[in-house]
Amino acid sequence: MKPDLSVEIAGVPFKNPILTASGCCGYGEELADVFPLSKLGGLVTKSITREPRMGHRPPRTAETGGGMLNAIGLANVGIDRFLEEKIPFLEKQKTTIVVNVAGSKIDEYVELCARLNDQPRVDMIELNISCPNVDSGGIEFGTDPKLTEETVSRVRKVFSRPIIAKLAPNVTDITKIAIAAESGGADALSVINSVLGMAVDPETWQTRITNNKGGLTGPAIKPIALVAVDKVYNSACTLPIIGIGGIATASDVIEFMLVGATAVQIGTALFVQPDTPVRIVDGLTEYLKRKKMSSIRELIGKVRKY
């Protein structure tokens, strides 16, 4: 019998635990040229804001040791064009659709989510309250427990389907933010967003990206992400966790699930090997067969600690 890769988060079914990470596959159309999106457990769109954003001027990405530094600046088409141009494509996809939203004020999150609530094909929203590479909004909502709770609470009043809060690693105690998100009415957590970083060219003395600082992603942050997931899973917070950070192989996914993640998001690896999600799904199937396990859910939280 083929192992069961399905998981469930806040009542929403996923055929497997593999989602894309926001900002790493646009609105899905780009990735659909590589493999059928139906092979994904879920697709997370890039962040949507109220107004269109051009983002930061190039260069806005830089390769680092074991990762990538980026400060895209939430470039996107804005909510009006998203609803007009992107939703029709997403409505046709046979996978769970998660729309990531961002704002510089709580009112913007509320407005965006109220409009998305009218779109039945938006299965979940992910609140980007932790972006490290914009000057206004972004990270401060996810570093202050009171702001986190208020943001989620106000969105909860206008969005009737599950809400995911995306948490930052750049905090003193991520469990306090997780508990605040749960208190505000969040249904799940994405752990973690990118780690604040910087890169400099030693020959020119010039910073490598125009925003000077940005978000570090890729394998370099996997240990940071794993410990964050472990902390949240073993805290007073009871919400399901979607693990993010340097995931590129089936083994990476297994590590995240063992420390408490129910699902994961794939980001930077998509730029290296766009069909990574398909390879991972195949790898997970083979792993479960080798371990004689019937369901991937048997892995969740089963890490053995010294």
Side-chain angles (χ1 to χ4, degrees):
M1 182 181 293
K2 189 174 182 179
D4 181 8
L5 295 184
S6 68
V7 296
E8 184 178 290
I9 298 174
V12 177
F14 294 80
K15 66 186 69 175
N16 62 62
I18 309 303
L19 290 73
T20 58
S22 177
C24 297
C25 69
Y27 308 98
E29 296 152 300
E30 300 85 343
L31 204 57
D33 291 335
V34 181
F35 62 84
L37 299 184
S38 59
K39 291 188 176 293
L40 291 168
L43 182 140
V44 184
T45 70
K46 69 185 310 177
S47 292
I48 307 302
T49 55
R50 183 165 64 183
E51 304 296 335
R53 290 178 62 106
M54 292 296 293
H56 299 307
R57 61 185 174 87
R60 51 191 189 182
T61 62
E63 188 173 353
T64 63
M68 179 179 74
L69 191 68
N70 83 86
I72 305 302
L74 301 180
N76 74 101
V77 299
I79 187 65
D80 290 337
R81 285 184 58 195
F82 176 75
L83 295 177
E84 180 181 348
E85 301 173 11
K86 308 303 180 182
I87 282 290
F89 168 81
L90 293 172
E91 287 177 334
K92 300 173 184 177
Q93 305 310 309
K94 296 179 180 179
T95 190
T96 300
I97 302 299
V98 182
V99 177
N100 182 289
V101 299
S104 58
K105 299 177 182 178
I106 294 178
D107 286 346
E108 292 181 18
Y109 286 94
V110 174
E111 178 186 338
L112 289 165
C113 294
R115 295 185 66 181
L116 290 168
N117 193 54
D118 295 331
Q119 303 295 323
R121 194 59 185 87
V122 178
D123 300 305
M124 309 174 86
I125 56 170
E126 182 179 66
L127 298 179
N128 186 358
I129 54 175
S130 52
C131 180
N133 59 48
V134 290
D135 295 326
S136 60
I139 197 166
E140 64 258 33
F141 293 109
T143 57
D144 183 321
K146 290 183 179 179
L147 279 177
T148 296
E149 183 173 352
E150 182 181 358
T151 303
V152 175
S153 177
R154 289 189 56 190
V155 167
R156 177 79 283 166
K157 294 175 182 177
V158 300
F159 192 79
S160 59
R161 294 181 291 283
I163 297 170
I164 305 165
K166 190 170 185 177
L167 306 191
N170 309 297
V171 293
T172 303
D173 186 353
I174 196 170
T175 63
K176 291 182 178 179
I177 308 299
I179 292 167
E182 184 172 27
S183 297
D187 300 285
L189 302 171
S190 289
V191 182
I192 55 176
N193 209 325
S194 54
V195 176
L196 189 62
M198 189 174 186
V200 179
D201 186 328
E203 295 301 322
T204 64
W205 305 358
Q206 180 72 53
T207 51
R208 292 191 183 274
I209 54 176
T210 56
N211 196 54
N212 299 317
K213 65 183 185 300
L216 177 65
T217 63
I221 74 166
K222 193 180 91 170
I224 298 171
L226 283 169
V227 77
V229 170
D230 181 68
K231 283 183 178 179
V232 174
Y233 184 75
N234 289 290
S235 72
C237 179
T238 62
L239 297 180
I241 301 166
I242 301 170
I244 318 171
I247 299 167
T249 67
S251 293
D252 295 331
V253 176
I254 293 161
E255 286 187 69
F256 272 86
M257 297 190 78
L258 287 172
V259 297
T262 298
V264 300
Q265 292 181 12
I266 311 299
T268 305
L270 294 174
F271 298 114
V272 181
Q273 201 163 36
D275 66 344
T276 292
V278 177
R279 293 170 179 265
I280 287 178
V281 168
D282 291 342
L284 291 175
T285 298
E286 291 306 311
Y287 176 85
L288 293 178
K289 287 180 178 178
R290 179 164 59 83
K291 290 288 188 178
K292 295 181 171 53
M293 297 172 64
S294 61
S295 169
I296 199 162
R297 298 184 297 276
E298 297 173 46
L299 292 171
I300 300 172
K302 295 301 194 299
V303 66
R304 297 171 181 169
K305 295 182 178 180
Y306 287 104

